[in-house]
Amino acid sequence: MKDVREEYHADGLTEASLHDDPLEQARRWVDEAIEAALPLPNAMTLATVSADGQPSSRVVLLKGIEAGGFTFFTHYDSRKGEEIAVNPKVSFTMFWQPFDRQMIVIGEAHKVDQQESDSYFASRPYASQISAAISPQSRPASRAWLEDEVARLEQAFPSAPVPRPAQWGGYRIVAHEIQFWHGRPSRLHDRFRYQRQEDGSWLRERLAP
Ligand SMILES: Cc1cc2nc3c(=O)[nH]c(=O)nc-3n(C[C@H](O)[C@H](O)[C@H](O)COP(=O)(O)O)c2cc1C
């Protein structure tokens, strides 16, 4: 690992190239990753913190940037869900290669309303609906038990729609800080941090790499 040295050659970021609204800037970067057909362009590494201050992280998929926040879907009784219930402060990171771009978001996660979860659940493929509905996410479970549960639910609901389980739904992360990082040659990277002010405007500053 010590010998892995990647040089970053991209043009980088300037004040002028950035949108004044960091949510718009975030949308631009995600859209560019999607348009370039990068693998998993909407994958985000989400960190939550337990009641006793222990952080944990995992990858989830960003499903929208709307209503002032970043939306993802999961099980509310998973580890992350239980941690968010006690402490809604979260952070997530997205990294796009070969664009040499990283985005870091810090904010609070709030459940989206049930209608929004219903409509996204209904849009998922049938097999994903079944898997989500039977999974006691983050609990110990054998493969055999999981497959039996899938077969049982497939019998009960031979085609979509499968009812959305109450413990499955969306969160929207409302950010108060968003950072855009762009790799540059010789590790003199570009970083811009936006911090939300009390009046709702955003303060933007360049940070040292
Ligand atoms: C590429 C990728 C995408 C994933 N997307 C999701 C997702 O959108 N929602 C989700 O609940 N888990 C997703 N997972 C699984 C999570 O990483 C994780 O295993 C699961 O949510 C349980 O996390 P927890 O026990 O920390 O709560 C994804 C995993 C990978 C590798």
Side-chain angles (χ1 to χ4, degrees):
M1 290 180 216
K2 283 183 183 140
D3 293 330
V4 176
R5 289 196 196 286
E6 199 71 46
E7 260 300 335
Y8 304 109
H9 299 289
D11 281 348
L13 284 179
T14 58
E15 290 267 347
S17 68
L18 285 166
H19 204 288
D20 288 340
D21 179 346
L23 288 146
E24 284 305 320
Q25 182 62 38
R27 183 174 292 112
R28 214 184 255 176
W29 273 18
V30 176
D31 285 347
E32 286 173 11
I34 294 169
E35 277 158 28
L38 299 191
L40 295 171
N42 58 335
M44 52 190 259
T45 302
L46 171 74
T48 54
V49 180
S50 71
D52 64 356
Q54 173 64 61
S56 64
S57 61
R58 78 288 290 155
V59 176
V60 294
L61 296 177
L62 178 64
K63 289 294 169 179
I65 303 174
E66 70 256 303
F70 299 83
T71 311
F72 70 95
F73 292 86
T74 190
H75 291 256
Y76 291 138
D77 50 6
S78 63
R79 176 180 186 156
K80 72 183 95 46
E82 288 183 343
E83 293 186 351
I84 289 168
V86 175
N87 178 3
K89 292 176 195 277
V90 299
S91 175
F92 73 85
T93 303
M94 299 177 85
F95 173 55
W96 295 282
Q97 199 56 315
F99 287 176
D100 304 334
R101 287 174 173 174
Q102 173 181 226
M103 179 176 80
I104 302 168
V105 174
I106 301 173
E108 292 204 354
H110 303 281
K111 285 182 183 174
V112 303
D113 65 40
Q114 300 210 12
Q115 264 180 333
E116 192 172 338
S117 294
D118 285 341
S119 103
Y120 179 67
F121 189 81
S123 77
R124 303 180 84 210
Y126 169 70
S128 306
Q129 294 182 1
I130 293 276
S131 299
I134 63 99
S135 174
Q137 194 178 57
S138 312
R139 302 289 182 282
S142 73
R143 184 87 205 169
W145 182 86
L146 290 167
E147 287 172 4
D148 284 351
E149 285 297 293
V150 166
R152 187 186 57 76
L153 208 63
E154 281 173 347
Q155 259 198 336
F157 298 97
S159 60
V162 177
R164 174 180 67 84
Q167 77 278 10
W168 189 97
Y171 286 101
R172 186 161 290 119
I173 298 172
V174 177
H176 57 81
E177 183 176 320
I178 306 184
Q179 187 192 135
F180 297 90
W181 180 101
H182 205 304
R184 297 292 305 277
S186 311
R187 304 291 189 262
L188 203 58
H189 310 305
D190 288 328
R191 296 174 66 190
F192 285 93
R193 178 181 65 193
Y194 293 69
Q195 289 176 304
R196 203 176 57 223
Q197 306 298 289
E198 291 212 336
D199 65 0
S201 66
W202 292 92
L203 169 70
R204 183 171 66 197
E205 292 170 301
R206 182 185 272 275
L207 302 181

